[in-house]
Amino acid sequence: MHAAVRPLRRRIALAGAVAAGALALAACGHGDGKQEKEAGTGSGGSAVASRDGSQSPADGTFGEADVTFAQRMIPHHRQAVEMSEPAAERASDTEVKQLAAAIVQAQKSEIATMRSWLSSWHKPESPRADEGEQPSVSPEHSRHGMDPGMAGPGSPGMAGMMSDEDMAGLRSARGRAFDKKFGEMMIKHHEGAIEMAEKELKQGRNADAKRLADSIVTSQSAEVARFKQVLDRL
């Protein structure tokens, strides 16, 4: 009789272990689902890791400051590219040409990155469009993606932007005169970008946007220092 009881006890113990394991798996599955939902807050989607392990800006957390940073830095960068491209033909100083070429390459790439963020966040490129406004845009501003209400140096959130008069003066300059005017204007322009990037570092939520802001502060601060050295020897 004892021999018959032992197999029965073993079967009961095995069944209990299986049931406990099933409950543990169910609990783990519930916890993972909660984590996935939390990781996707801010964009309405789940978090997706990129190749370097960071979250995709399409799915990572973002806030109003991140959107504003991208919307305003894009036209700011476009104007920097517009200022820098003529240097290849109009500048006379070799270092000025090198700095201008580096600005064009870096900022065109950053424009593409920020445009992809806004697309993934389902946000327009223009802050005014985001507010439901459709301001009239001149052909000049339309070509460069700038809102006429934000073109001036004192425009809110667009520190360092050059006026149409500033841009016309740069386009008419050549040689040493171009080098000096370009250097002076780019210092102000970069200082405006640095100010905007520092604001993103303080108020932003998206990790990718904050990394770009940090890169802008570092790289453009270094370029400001180089432009000042160039102006000292011109």
Side-chain angles (χ1 to χ4, degrees):
M1 181 170 178
H2 290 292
V5 169
R6 288 173 187 168
L8 178 60
R9 288 178 177 174
R10 283 197 295 271
R11 286 197 296 271
I12 292 172
L14 180 60
V18 171
L23 288 171
L25 287 172
C28 290
H30 178 73
D32 289 343
K34 182 179 179 182
Q35 290 175 355
E36 288 172 2
K37 289 179 182 178
E38 290 175 350
T41 57
S43 67
S46 59
V48 178
S50 64
R51 292 180 181 179
D52 62 1
S54 63
Q55 285 188 2
S56 165
D59 299 307
T61 299
F62 70 91
E64 182 179 350
D66 304 304
V67 174
T68 300
F69 170 68
Q71 286 176 331
R72 293 180 174 174
M73 193 63 79
I74 287 172
H76 203 277
H77 272 24
R78 281 177 176 155
Q79 190 179 68
V81 171
E82 181 188 359
M83 292 165 62
S84 303
E85 285 181 330
E89 296 181 357
R90 295 178 177 270
S92 60
D93 187 84
T94 301
E95 189 171 4
V96 168
K97 291 184 178 183
Q98 291 172 346
L99 282 164
I103 289 168
V104 171
Q105 182 179 6
Q107 299 204 15
K108 279 187 174 181
S109 175
E110 290 170 1
I111 287 169
T113 296
M114 290 184 285
R115 289 187 69 191
S116 73
W117 293 348
L118 291 173
S119 176
S120 68
W121 295 337
H122 305 291
K123 296 291 183 179
E125 287 188 27
S126 168
R128 295 285 180 88
D130 198 24
E131 296 167 4
E133 299 179 20
Q134 297 296 330
S136 59
V137 180
S138 68
E140 178 71 13
H141 286 114
S142 178
R143 184 166 66 252
H144 300 292
M146 287 181 281
D147 185 324
M150 295 185 175
S155 301
M158 295 287 283
M161 288 290 281
M162 299 294 111
S163 67
D164 289 340
E165 184 180 356
D166 293 328
M167 298 300 290
L170 183 64
R171 285 192 293 270
S172 65
R174 284 186 176 275
R176 185 183 177 89
F178 178 92
D179 297 337
K180 293 185 71 174
K181 188 174 290 292
F182 176 69
E184 290 167 355
M185 289 172 62
M186 194 54 72
I187 286 172
K188 294 178 182 178
H189 204 270
H190 272 10
E191 287 174 345
I194 292 167
E195 180 181 326
M196 293 165 64
E198 287 177 338
K199 185 175 181 179
E200 165 64 14
L201 287 172
K202 292 177 182 178
Q203 300 180 4
R205 296 173 60 195
N206 182 267
D208 295 278
K210 294 184 77 168
R211 273 193 290 270
L212 177 58
D214 185 63
S215 175
I216 288 172
V217 171
T218 301
S219 62
Q220 295 198 20
S221 293
E223 287 174 349
V224 165
R226 287 187 64 186
F227 274 119
K228 288 180 177 179
Q229 291 174 350
V230 170
L231 290 175
D232 286 341
R233 63 175 173 74
L234 287 178

